[in-house]
Amino acid sequence: MSMPQPITLGQTRLGPSVFLAPMAGITDLPFRRAVARHGGAGLMVSEMVASTEMVTPRPSNRAAVRAKALTEGALPVSVQIAGREAAAMAETARIVAGMGARIVDINMGCPAKKVTGGLSGAALMRDLDHALSLIDAVVAAVPDLPVTLKMRLGWDEDCLNAAELAARATDAGVRMLTVHGRTRAQFYTGQADWSRIRQVANLPGRPPLVANGDVVDAASARMALSRSGAEAVMVGRGAQGAPWKLAQIAHKLWATPAPAIPEGAALSDAISEHYEDILSFYGNDLGLRVARKHLGWYAEANGAPNRAELMRAASAQATLAAIRAGFGAAAGAA
Ligand SMILES: Cc1cc2nc3c(=O)[nH]c(=O)nc-3n(C[C@H](O)[C@H](O)[C@H](O)COP(=O)(O)O)c2cc1C
């Protein structure tokens, strides 16, 4: 199978066609920087920005800090927005465009109750007229930026309407579509069904398409592309504890430069750098908590023998020592 050509959106060339998925609480600036240090990705999508959070008269400090970081870094960052009111979505799109977003992505894929309960995220797939009113408002609000859309296959087995939403979004001016090969009802259970994304791939005149769900290595990426007919893949959980995973997949599929896969001392250095970045970005208290989940994933993905110690460490110093002991020891470096 010949590999699809890189996608260009506006002025931005998204090469290679392996993209980092938006993951709230995970794909923050320190994680995106870690991905960038390890070979990068064709596109990184920010954590979701709730429109309600952005358009309040006095956003909380934390929201402001998080928002400022959305577009930082020399990366082709797409900022994802979520919400259910056209005016607030349009205003949020204008705000993130003013902050330097190169692409605005609309979230119609998130299954979380907190989001769907507010009738945004995947819940919008139950009411396509309403979904389209949001898309129209966002496209009109940022005429100079490409607007993209992320969705699931549908709400449930009785409502598999990704192709209908994709067709209407295409007519409304959406410039790239990402489809996670599960319904909302499935949450994250079972296996993503990439072949069901093909109904979107077959739409005449559609924009570039990205397949998402359970892509974890080069073999699954290749299979996702061939089954779905998409031009690119998006990787979320597969990059947890392995920020080099995207570059690794790109190298195998598109012959881009191979990232160094850190081992031993290089691995403990890479994890320590990510860890210190988290602490300086969030401050010590919140940073220690945010870092813990990443350390758990690093331990899982790289087989650190001292996972419990890593999780328990109460100070930055103790954690850095545990990182050196757990990840550096394999190569005899401490
Ligand atoms: C913790 C977590 C947070 C997520 N947050 C978002 C989000 O903010 N916006 C979004 O569109 N999808 C979000 N997703 C969904 C992912 O972008 C992706 O569609 C899904 O995880 C399937 O891809 P994967 O199997 O490669 O992880 C999230 C997923 C996880 C696990």
Side-chain angles (χ1 to χ4, degrees):
M1 162 189 171
S2 68
M3 284 301 137
Q5 292 298 306
I7 296 165
T8 298
L9 279 188
Q11 305 295 310
T12 312
R13 183 176 176 277
L14 309 179
S17 297
V18 184
F19 303 161
L20 178 65
M23 288 186 287
I26 299 166
T27 51
D28 52 13
L29 185 59
F31 187 74
R32 298 199 302 273
R33 278 187 188 131
V35 172
R37 281 194 297 274
H38 294 285
L43 173 71
M44 304 207 202
V45 186
S46 73
E47 300 173 272
M48 171 182 92
V49 181
S51 56
T52 44
E53 187 178 76
M54 288 299 262
V55 299
T56 52
R58 289 161 54 83
S60 69
N61 259 352
R62 177 143 181 234
V65 169
R66 225 167 56 80
K68 182 171 161 291
L70 289 172
T71 52
E72 266 176 29
L75 301 162
V77 168
S78 162
V79 174
Q80 186 185 64
I81 64 176
R84 66 189 172 97
E85 280 172 25
M89 288 290 274
E91 181 59 18
T92 303
R94 273 191 290 269
I95 293 170
V96 300
M99 285 162 38
R102 306 260 288 270
I103 297 164
V104 175
D105 187 55
I106 303 176
N107 179 335
M108 294 196 186
C110 189
K113 279 234 170 61
K114 198 169 79 175
V115 175
T116 57
L119 296 177
S120 45
L124 289 163
M125 295 194 75
R126 303 177 91 175
D127 184 351
L128 294 194
D129 288 341
H130 185 57
L132 262 292
S133 72
L134 301 187
I135 294 171
D136 286 336
V138 172
V139 169
V142 288
D144 297 333
L145 289 189
V147 173
T148 63
L149 177 64
K150 183 163 177 286
M151 63 176 96
R152 289 191 167 222
L153 294 173
W155 179 261
D156 59 20
E157 289 299 314
D158 297 326
C159 177
L160 294 169
N161 56 0
E164 189 186 347
L165 174 57
R168 293 181 66 177
T170 301
D171 289 344
V174 162
R175 305 269 294 279
M176 185 170 79
L177 301 160
T178 300
V179 183
H180 176 187
R182 284 188 176 84
T183 62
R184 188 275 180 182
Q186 287 178 290
F187 279 88
Y188 293 96
T189 59
Q191 174 75 27
D193 188 345
W194 303 309
S195 61
R196 285 166 127 185
I197 300 173
R198 193 165 274 279
Q199 48 175 323
V200 176
N202 289 342
L203 287 173
R206 66 158 173 85
L209 174 64
V210 186
N212 170 240
D214 297 341
V215 173
V216 294
D217 55 16
S220 50
R222 203 172 267 125
M223 202 177 293
L225 288 171
S226 73
R227 292 208 176 147
S228 66
E231 285 77 40
V233 287
M234 181 174 270
V235 178
R237 291 164 299 168
Q240 290 169 351
W244 42 84
K245 184 62 77 58
L246 292 107
Q248 231 179 335
I249 294 173
H251 168 64
K252 294 206 173 119
L253 268 64
W254 280 278
T256 50
I261 311 297
E263 286 174 17
L267 178 60
S268 90
D269 286 350
I271 296 171
S272 302
E273 192 172 355
H274 183 189
Y275 180 72
E276 287 177 325
D277 197 16
I278 292 173
L279 292 197
S280 64
F281 183 72
Y282 289 104
N284 244 43
D285 288 352
L286 181 56
L288 280 169
R289 271 181 284 141
V290 171
R292 215 159 266 154
K293 62 190 171 203
H294 288 279
L295 291 174
W297 290 320
Y298 278 119
E300 227 167 86
N302 303 283
N306 63 342
R307 188 175 191 283
E309 188 193 348
L310 278 164
M311 296 295 99
R312 253 197 335 262
S315 69
Q317 219 177 6
T319 308
L320 286 165
I323 291 172
R324 273 196 303 279
F327 298 100

